[in-house]
Amino acid sequence: MALQGRALLRLPWICLLFLYTCADETANSTNVDDKVTCERDHEYDSLDIRNVTGKWSVVELYMHLSKEGVKKYQTCPTITVWETDEIPHTTTFGPSTEHVQLYHVQSIMAKFNQQHRHLRLLWDENGQMTEYSLFFRNESAGYWETFDKQNGSLASRQHYQQFTGTVQVLKAVKDHLVLNFCQPASNGAPPQLYSVLFSRQPGTMPQWAINAVHNLLQNKNLSIASRRMVCGNGATKPILSLFFSLISCLLAYVSLS
Ligand SMILES: *[C@@H]1O[C@H](CO)[C@@H](O)[C@H](O)[C@H]1NC(C)=O
Ligand SMILES: *[C@@H]1O[C@H](CO)[C@@H](O)[C@H](O)[C@H]1NC(C)=O
Ligand SMILES: *[C@@H]1O[C@H](CO)[C@@H](O)[C@H](O)[C@H]1NC(C)=O
Ligand SMILES: *[C@@H]1O[C@H](CO)[C@@H](O)[C@H](O)[C@H]1NC(C)=O
Ligand SMILES: *[C@@H]1O[C@H](CO)[C@@H](O)[C@H](O)[C@H]1NC(C)=O
């Protein structure tokens, strides 16, 4: 009995972990691989970064490359965004310092850090973490590029696909935020393309506000056909949706182990 309880507790985050694995697999099977190009958006170039820092709760995830349809999850992931002066020293991204002597590397990095600001994004899924290290320029504050590998307990899992693309702010208002994650296929790594809707307050967001986000995404040709509602959002039939999310969790669990 106790064992069963523990197994059930473990299930929810295994589902969402699927965000990183399933997305790529479905992307591959739908043959859209090489077609992903990351459109640059300039609407939030002059974003005040303080408007997006702090804690946000996930409302919906839009899997633009997947054909999985609409799914519901009970877990309530959050993110925390903050600006930092701490710069990873062992970065594998950022400016290219290959075939450069050490003292040159240091001056390249110093120059780079003068021109860029650094951001961290911590994804927390029931205590399982992925930390993104990102950078941006003052003149394009809503366009974040990856600076280093993600770390944390979620990122160190076997099936985790490192994200090396860009994160763009598609919408930032007082109480909600839309981020787009985009990474074209490269060096055999499948593309990743998904957007996430966050709200300041955990729990449900008014349907009209969610619909406005759907319209925004569709206007950018980002499909909303496959989406993952989390934290009880859009739950019209609680018992039934709990049943279905348990079933999909079980399937996810079985296919991952
Ligand atoms: C993607 O599909 C190609 C060809 O269909 C296959 O060779 C490759 O192993 C697949 N990649 C993954 C990550 O499944
Ligand atoms: C930041 O938020 C404030 C208050 O909500 C708003 O007035 C301002 O326009 C926002 N600035 C940017 C650049 O997003
Ligand atoms: C960004 O702009 C602020 C305020 O104008 C300035 O203090 C800061 O040095 C700039 N940072 C970079 C990296 O350009
Ligand atoms: C990721 O690594 C940095 C630097 O080592 C560390 O400060 C941070 O706590 C780590 N994040 C997570 C979620 O483990
Ligand atoms: C969206 O796709 C349609 C049809 O493929 C195209 O005509 C339109 O220009 C695209 N819009 C954007 C914003 O990319």
Side-chain angles (χ1 to χ4, degrees):
M1 221 27 222
L3 192 70
Q4 205 175 21
R6 232 175 54 214
L8 282 177
L9 278 179
R10 279 185 58 201
L11 288 175
W13 60 261
I14 290 164
C15 302
L16 266 176
L17 178 63
F18 237 33
L19 167 64
Y20 301 104
T21 52
C22 199
D24 308 310
E25 281 162 14
T26 23
N28 202 25
S29 64
T30 50
N31 289 326
V32 284
D33 293 32
D34 3 273
K35 295 213 186 80
V36 170
T37 51
C38 298
E39 297 292 336
R40 182 80 179 258
D41 210 280
H42 291 280
E43 200 170 333
Y44 284 92
D45 275 353
S46 59
L47 173 79
D48 182 342
I49 206 74
R50 289 168 301 184
N51 284 20
V52 299
T53 54
K55 193 170 174 184
W56 297 92
S57 301
V58 179
V59 178
E60 284 187 349
L61 306 157
Y62 307 94
M63 313 300 297
H64 305 307
L65 299 180
S66 159
K67 296 213 160 104
E68 64 187 52
V70 179
K71 289 182 176 172
K72 288 168 187 167
Y73 297 86
Q74 297 305 311
T75 130
C76 301
T78 62
I79 58 161
T80 309
V81 179
W82 70 98
E83 195 176 349
T84 180
D85 292 329
E86 271 173 57
I87 296 146
H89 294 294
T90 55
T91 182
T92 41
F93 301 91
S96 172
T97 50
E98 240 182 313
H99 315 300
V100 178
Q101 282 168 298
L102 186 62
Y103 65 96
H104 277 146
V105 171
Q106 285 162 349
S107 73
I108 289 171
M109 288 313 292
K111 187 154 184 249
F112 180 85
N113 293 328
Q114 259 167 28
Q115 291 165 342
H116 300 88
R117 293 163 64 184
H118 292 263
L119 206 63
R120 295 281 192 281
L121 190 159
L122 181 69
W123 179 286
D124 179 345
E125 212 168 293
N126 286 12
Q128 298 289 313
M129 314 272 188
T130 306
E131 188 172 325
Y132 294 77
S133 175
L134 306 156
F135 67 90
F136 66 96
R137 287 171 175 274
N138 259 354
E139 57 272 25
S140 53
Y143 183 79
W144 311 335
E145 296 173 70
T146 34
F147 189 73
D148 204 357
K149 287 204 274 277
Q150 290 96 61
N151 65 329
S153 48
L154 205 50
S156 58
R157 286 183 64 84
Q158 196 192 349
H159 293 275
Y160 186 80
Q161 286 275 350
Q162 281 287 332
F163 179 78
T164 57
T166 52
V167 182
Q168 280 199 89
V169 177
L170 297 186
K171 187 173 188 184
V173 293
K174 196 163 182 280
D175 60 352
H176 62 277
L177 169 71
V178 182
L179 296 180
N180 175 254
F181 291 72
C182 186
Q183 173 186 329
S186 69
N187 302 329
Q192 298 191 41
L193 182 63
Y194 51 90
S195 302
V196 189
L197 166 61
F198 303 93
S199 78
R200 274 295 183 202
Q201 300 299 324
T204 51
M205 234 175 96
Q207 193 57 46
W208 63 265
I210 294 178
N211 289 344
V213 169
H214 291 178
N215 289 338
L216 170 96
L217 292 171
Q218 282 173 313
N219 288 340
K220 294 183 190 295
N221 279 351
L222 293 169
S223 163
I224 58 156
S226 291
R227 57 183 188 271
R228 300 175 182 184
M229 299 170 171
V230 302
C231 208
N233 282 291
T236 41
K237 296 185 190 90
I239 303 291
L240 209 61
S241 71
L242 181 65
F243 174 73
F244 281 120
S245 54
L246 272 177
I247 294 291
S248 46
C249 285
L250 274 169
L251 287 176
Y253 184 69
V254 165
S255 62
L256 276 180
S257 44

